[in-house]
C-alpha cells in the first residue's frame, strides 16, 4: 500500500508541475545529487542509534522510508525536472491528456530514489548478505505489484496511440473516453489476481489439514474462489487477503500467518476474509470512490475550472476527503468482518487468539489508517459474543452507508452519462478537427446550437484553407505566412489546428502568440 500511495503522489507532483506550480528553475543536473539522500539518512539513523537517541532515530527512519517521494518533490517542483523532460522530448506534459511513454522518463528519478531508499533500508535492517538479498527481493516485488496497474494503463494508452483515428476519438470524445476507461478498469480488476500472483512469490497451498479445513469452511459458507495460495514473505509478514472479484478471486495466506496459527484460528481468519466478500466491502468502497471522484469532476466542470489550478486544487481536496472516508470505512469494515467470522464460526476466542498472535504487543493499542488496534478489536469481539445486537447494529450502520454509496454513485453516473451524451456532438467537432476531417467538423458544428466561439472560429479557419485535408506542414506554413504579414489571430488559429493534429513542435510559437494577444504586446 505504501508504494501504491507513493506512486499516486508522484504522479500528482508531475500534474502539479504541469499546471505551473513548480519554480521557474531548470537544473536537471542537480537531480542526481538527491540520490545521496537515502544512504545519508540511513547513516544518520545508525549514528543516532549508537548515541542512544532512539526516538529521533525512529523519526529519521520514517523519513528514509518516504525519502524517495521527498526527493522527487524537490526534483519536480524545485529543480524543474518535468519541465526539462518536456523540453527534451518536445512533448507538453498535460494533466488532462492521456499518459504516454514520456511519463516514464519523468518518473525515472522517482524510481531511482525508491531503489536507493530500499537498498539503504535493507542495509540498515540486516548486515547479513543473504538476508539483505531476501529483503531486497521482497521490497522489489511489492514495488512491482504497485507498479503493475499503472504499467497496464500506460501500455494500453500507448497502444491506443498506434491507431490514430481511434486515439483521436478517445482523446476528444468524452463518451468514448469513459467507455475506454471503464474497459481498462474492468480489465485491471480481472487481471489483478494473476498480476499479484506473478508479482509476489506465491504457490498453491499444499494439501493437508490446513487446506482441508479451509476448503471445508468455504463449502459450508458457499464461498467460491479460484485458488488458495501461500504468499512467501520470508516469514516477515503475517497477513491474509482476498484478491479479485467473483469466482476468479484468489485467497492469499502469508507463510508467517500459516506458521503462527492453528486450525481453529486459521479458520476464523478465513471466515473474516470471506466476510469482506459477503458484505460487499470492495463494492461499497468502489461506489464511494467513484461517487467522490466523478462528483468532483462534475463540480469542476460546473464551476468552469477545467484544466486550471483551481480544478487541480479541488481534485486534491477530493482526494484528501477520499483518504479520510476510506480510513473511516476501512477500520469499521474490519470490525464487521470480525463479526461475520464470529457469526459463522461461533468461536470468538479463535479469532481473538489469532489477533493476539498476528498483532503482537506493538499493535494492541495502536490504531492505524486501515485497522483499529488489536485491543479494540478483541474488546468488540467479546462484547458482540455476549451481546449479538452490537454486531448487528454495526452491520446495519454499514449497510446504510453502503446503500447511500450506491445511491450516490447511481446519481453521479446518471449525471455523467447525461453530460457525455449532451457533449457528444460538440466533442465530435473537436475530434474531426483533430483528425483533419474539416467538412465533417462543419457538419457536426451545425448540430450544436451553442458551440463555443473558440471551436466555431477554428471550424471556419479550417474551411478557409479550401483544402479537403491539409497536412500539418501546410497548416504550419499558413500560420507562418499569416504571422509574417502581421495577422496574429489568423496565425494562432492555424497553429492551433496544427497542434490539434499532433504537431507538438509548434507549441512554443502557439503559446507565445497567445501571450502576445492576451497582453496586447507587439
Amino acid at each position: 500500500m505504501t508504494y501504491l500511495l507513493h506512486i499516486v503522489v508522484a504522479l500528482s507532483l508531475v500534474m502539479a508541475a504541469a499546471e505551473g506550480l513548480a519554480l521557474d528553475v531548470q537544473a536537471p543536473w542537480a537531480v542526481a545529487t538527491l540520490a545521496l539522500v537515502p544512504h545519508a539518512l540511513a547513516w544518520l539513523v545508525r549514528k543516532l542509534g549508537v548515541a542512544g537517541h532512539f526516538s529521533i532515530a525512529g523519526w529519521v527512519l520514517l523519513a528514509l522510508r518516504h525519502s524517495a517521494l521527498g526527493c522527487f518533490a524537490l526534483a519536480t517542483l524545485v529543480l524543474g525536472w518535468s519541465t526539462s523532460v518536456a523540453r527534451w522530448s518536445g512533448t507538453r506534459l498535460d494533466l488532462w491528456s492521456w499518459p504516454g511513454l514520456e511519463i516514464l522518463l519523468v518518473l525515472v528519478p522517482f524510481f531511482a530514489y525508491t531503489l536507493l531508499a530500499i537498498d539503504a533500508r535493507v542495509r540498515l535492517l540486516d548486515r547479513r548478505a543473504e538476508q539483505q538479498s531476501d529483503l531486497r527481493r521482497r521490497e522489489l516485488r511489492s514495488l512491482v505489484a504497485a507498479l503493475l496497474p499503472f504499467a497496464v494503463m500506460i501500455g494500453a494508452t500507448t497502444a491506443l496511440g498506434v491507431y490514430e483515428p481511434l486515439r483521436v476519438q478517445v482523446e476528444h470524445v468524452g463518451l468514448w473516453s469513459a467507455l475506454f476507461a471503464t474497459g481498462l478498469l474492468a480489465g485491471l480488476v480481472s487481471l489483478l489476481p494473476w498480476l499479484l500472483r506473478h508479482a509476489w512469490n506465491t504457490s498453491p497451498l499444499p494439501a493437508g489439514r490446513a487446506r482441508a479445513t479451509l476448503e471445508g469452511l468455504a463449502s459450508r459458507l458457499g464461498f467460491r474462489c479460484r485458488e488458495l495460495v501461500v504468499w512467501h514473505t520470508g516469514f516477515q509478514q503475517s497477513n491474509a487477503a482476498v484478491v479479485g472479484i467473483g469466482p476468479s478471486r484468489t485467497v492469499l495466506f502469508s507463510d508467517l500467518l500459516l506458521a503462527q496459527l492453528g486450525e481453529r484460528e486459521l479458520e476464523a481468519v478465513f471466515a473474516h476474509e470471506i466476510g469482506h466478500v459477503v458484505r460487499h466491502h470492495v463494492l461499497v468502497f468502489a461506489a464511494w470512490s467513484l461517487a467522490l471522484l466523478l462528483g468532483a469532476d462534475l463540480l469542476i466542470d460546473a464551476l468552469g475550472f477545467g484544466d486550471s489550478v483551481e480544478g487541480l486544487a479541488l481534485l486534491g481536496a477530493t482526494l484528501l476527503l477520499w483518504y479520510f472516508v476510506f480510513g473511516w470505512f476501512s477500520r469499521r469494515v474490519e470490525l464487521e468482518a470480525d463479526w461475520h467470522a464470529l457469526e459463522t464460526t461461533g468461536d470468538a476466542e479463535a479469532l481473538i487468539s489469532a489477533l493476539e498472535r498476528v498483532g503482537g504487543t506493538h499493535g494492541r493499542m495502536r490504531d492505524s489508517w486501515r485497522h483499529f488496534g488489536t485491543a479494540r478489536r478483541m474488546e468488540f469481539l467479546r462484547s458482540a459474543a455476549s451481546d449479538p445486537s452490537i454486531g448487528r447494529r454495526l452491520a446495519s450502520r454499514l449497510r446504510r452507508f453502503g446503500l447511500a454509496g450506491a445511491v450516490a454513485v447511481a446519481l453521479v453516473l446518471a449525471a455523467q452519462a447525461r453530460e457525455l451524451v449532451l457533449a457528444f456532438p460538440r466533442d465530435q467537432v473537436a475530434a474531426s478537427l483533430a483528425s483533419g476531417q474539416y467538412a465533417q467538423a462543419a457538419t457536426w458544428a451545425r448540430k450544436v446550437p451553442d458551440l463555443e466561439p473558440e471551436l466555431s472560429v477554428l471550424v471556419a479557419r479550417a474551411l478557409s484553407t479550401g483544402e479537403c485535408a491539409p497536412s500539418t506542414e501546410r497548416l504550419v506554413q499558413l500560420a507562418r505566412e499569416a504571422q509574417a504579414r502581421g495577422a496574429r489571430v489568423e496565425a494562432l488559429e492555424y497553429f492551433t489546428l496544427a497542434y490539434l493534429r499532433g504537431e507538438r513542435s509548434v507549441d512554443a510559437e502557439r503559446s507565445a502568440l497567445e501571450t502576445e494577444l492576451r497582453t496586447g504586446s507587439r
Side-chain angles (χ1 to χ4, degrees):
M1 180 63 78
T2 299
Y3 290 127
L4 184 63
L5 288 173
H6 280 189
I7 293 168
V8 171
V9 174
L11 290 171
S12 300
L13 291 170
V14 174
M15 294 175 181
E19 288 301 302
L21 298 182
L23 297 181
D24 190 17
V25 175
Q26 288 191 47
W29 55 269
V31 172
T33 63
L34 295 174
L36 300 173
V37 171
H39 283 91
L41 290 174
W43 175 84
L44 183 58
V45 170
R46 289 193 193 94
K47 290 295 183 182
L48 289 168
V50 170
H53 302 302
F54 301 116
S55 178
I56 301 174
W59 284 106
V60 178
L61 182 61
L62 181 64
L64 171 58
R65 184 166 185 80
H66 301 289
S67 61
L69 203 54
C71 290
F72 187 65
L74 289 173
T76 305
L77 301 180
V78 178
L79 301 177
W81 172 252
S82 58
T83 307
S84 298
V85 170
R87 177 166 53 83
W88 297 334
S89 64
T91 302
R92 182 180 177 183
L93 299 173
D94 190 349
L95 168 63
W96 308 103
S97 64
W98 291 99
L101 291 177
E102 67 276 358
I103 196 69
L104 297 180
L105 182 57
V106 177
L107 292 173
V108 163
F110 169 72
F111 296 132
Y113 300 147
T114 299
L115 294 176
L116 289 167
I118 289 173
D119 182 68
R121 285 172 50 232
V122 164
R123 292 176 182 275
L124 188 64
L125 293 173
D126 204 311
R127 293 184 177 274
R128 295 168 296 177
E130 185 176 349
Q131 294 299 319
Q132 286 181 359
S133 297
D134 288 342
L135 284 171
R136 279 195 194 90
R137 279 195 294 269
R138 284 196 296 275
E139 290 292 329
L140 288 174
R141 284 181 180 275
S142 295
L143 176 60
V144 169
L147 281 172
L148 282 174
F150 299 97
V152 170
M153 181 182 69
I154 291 173
T157 54
T158 302
L160 182 69
V162 173
Y163 184 58
E164 186 175 354
L166 181 59
R167 177 187 62 79
V168 168
Q169 286 289 317
V170 171
E171 280 187 351
H172 293 277
V173 182
L175 183 60
W176 304 145
S177 176
L179 290 175
F180 175 77
T182 302
L184 183 60
L185 180 61
L188 277 172
V189 170
S190 63
L191 283 174
L192 190 60
W194 183 88
L195 290 173
L196 291 184
R197 275 220 54 190
H198 289 79
W200 293 342
N201 184 14
T202 64
S203 64
L205 183 66
R209 291 180 62 88
R211 187 177 186 98
T213 298
L214 297 175
E215 288 178 341
L217 178 64
S219 177
R220 289 200 310 274
L221 299 181
F223 175 76
R224 296 172 60 198
C225 63
R226 181 184 293 276
E227 276 187 299
L228 303 175
V229 301
V230 181
W231 177 20
H232 300 283
T233 69
F235 295 94
Q236 297 297 311
Q237 295 189 45
S238 186
N239 203 358
V242 179
V243 180
I245 295 175
S248 63
R249 63 176 70 94
T250 296
V251 186
L252 299 99
F253 301 92
S254 72
D255 46 12
L256 180 57
L257 182 81
L258 292 169
Q260 287 176 316
L261 304 184
E263 288 181 26
R264 284 177 51 224
E265 296 163 327
L266 188 59
E267 186 178 51
V269 168
F270 190 28
H272 169 97
E273 296 302 327
I274 292 174
H276 284 306
V277 176
V278 171
R279 308 286 172 140
H280 309 297
H281 292 158
V282 171
L283 294 178
V284 174
F285 163 70
W288 274 108
S289 297
L290 284 173
L292 287 173
L293 297 176
L294 294 181
D297 182 60
L298 286 170
L299 185 58
I300 288 170
D301 286 343
L303 295 174
F305 288 161
D307 52 348
S308 65
V309 174
E310 292 84 356
L312 181 62
L314 184 53
L315 180 61
T318 303
L319 290 174
L320 187 64
L321 176 62
W322 173 88
Y323 177 88
F324 286 110
V325 169
F326 178 78
W328 180 92
F329 178 65
S330 179
R331 291 190 294 272
R332 283 153 184 81
V333 299
E334 290 300 326
L335 292 183
E336 188 180 27
D338 289 344
W339 164 245
H340 181 269
L342 174 58
E343 269 194 316
T344 53
T345 65
D347 193 349
E349 291 306 316
L351 186 54
I352 288 171
S353 175
L355 288 171
E356 284 187 309
R357 289 175 182 271
V358 172
T361 55
H362 66 282
R364 286 186 63 87
M365 304 305 296
R366 185 184 303 171
D367 292 345
S368 71
W369 177 47
R370 294 189 56 239
H371 298 83
F372 284 121
T374 303
R376 181 161 178 177
R377 291 175 68 180
M378 291 163 57
E379 179 186 357
F380 168 79
L381 281 167
R382 290 194 173 103
S383 299
S386 61
D387 182 5
S389 67
I390 293 174
R392 286 194 288 269
R393 281 197 300 271
L394 172 67
S396 178
R397 188 162 67 249
L398 290 179
R399 192 179 306 113
R400 290 194 298 272
F401 182 77
L403 288 173
V407 171
V409 76
L411 292 173
V412 169
L413 286 175
Q416 282 278 5
R418 179 179 179 276
E419 291 296 318
L420 292 173
V421 170
L422 290 176
F424 185 78
R426 181 264 176 211
D427 291 347
Q428 285 292 351
V429 175
S432 299
L433 289 173
S435 59
Q437 300 177 32
Y438 296 151
Q440 187 178 83
T443 300
W444 280 109
R446 286 191 290 271
K447 298 178 181 180
V448 185
D450 54 347
L451 186 64
E452 294 94 324
E454 295 85 355
L455 276 180
S456 296
V457 166
L458 287 178
V459 171
R461 181 58 58 197
L463 294 175
S464 72
T465 63
E467 302 176 32
C468 180
S471 65
T472 54
E473 293 81 4
R474 175 60 176 160
L475 292 170
V476 173
Q477 179 190 353
L478 291 169
R480 288 176 179 155
E481 289 175 356
Q483 195 171 18
R485 63 176 185 270
R488 291 184 296 176
V489 173
E490 182 181 338
L492 176 59
E493 290 165 3
Y494 279 127
F495 275 136
T496 302
L497 287 171
Y499 185 82
L500 283 173
R501 294 277 298 279
E503 187 57 60
R504 297 297 185 253
S505 62
V506 302
D507 189 36
E509 294 172 272
R510 187 175 68 94
S511 298
L513 272 174
E514 282 181 339
T515 302
E516 288 178 18
L517 292 168
R518 185 170 59 251
T519 60
S521 59
R522 297 185 181 275

